[in-house]
Amino acid sequence: INAINDNYDITEFVLTGGEPFANLDEAKRLISVMKKKCFINTTLPLTENINDVIDYINSEKKIQGVNISRHIGFDFKGVADIDVINRIKKPIRINTVINKNFSFD
């Protein structure tokens, strides 16, 4: 993190995983030492601390946006639904992989 902080050619961090919010305290610790904007790649699992995760995303100024993975064929059990996602006040991008079985329905 310090090497990236000191490198002027690198303009941002992307925190990805595994699942970055699997350990919210560790994610907070990592982001706290970042001196550049940060984006989060997540499936946004529905954990018992989902409210804390959403509050942190909304309040941490370094977090500039959230990329949420929702791939075709993905088992959507245990991940945030649109009502939870809509509580995020930062820009959101949904990442998906489209395969030959893709249907607009």
Side-chain angles (χ1 to χ4, degrees):
I1 290 176
N2 288 332
I4 293 170
N5 281 335
D6 295 338
N7 186 326
Y8 294 101
D9 293 327
I10 301 173
T11 60
E12 62 195 35
F13 287 90
V14 176
L15 189 57
T16 188
E19 173 51 54
F21 294 124
N23 184 330
L24 181 58
D25 290 335
E26 189 66 11
K28 287 179 177 182
R29 186 179 75 80
L30 291 171
I31 293 168
S32 74
V33 297
M34 296 175 180
K35 294 180 180 176
K36 301 177 182 195
K37 60 187 172 183
C38 176
F39 294 86
I40 309 294
N41 288 346
T42 179
T43 59
L44 202 59
L46 277 178
T47 58
E48 61 186 42
N49 69 339
I50 189 65
N51 293 327
D52 296 333
V53 169
I54 300 296
D55 290 345
Y56 177 66
I57 291 169
N58 289 336
S59 66
E60 176 51 64
K61 292 180 180 169
K62 291 177 198 170
I63 297 176
Q64 299 293 300
V66 180
N67 305 315
I68 301 173
S69 296
R70 294 292 187 264
H71 301 300
I72 301 303
F74 181 84
D75 176 1
F76 290 93
K77 295 177 185 169
V79 295
D81 63 17
I82 194 64
D83 292 331
V84 174
I85 292 171
N86 282 337
R87 292 176 37 214
I88 297 173
K89 303 302 179 201
K90 304 283 176 88
I92 297 169
R93 179 174 71 187
I94 303 297
N95 297 331
T96 190
V97 173
I98 297 175
N99 63 27
K100 65 181 179 179
N101 297 322
F102 175 77
S103 166
F104 284 101
D105 294 329

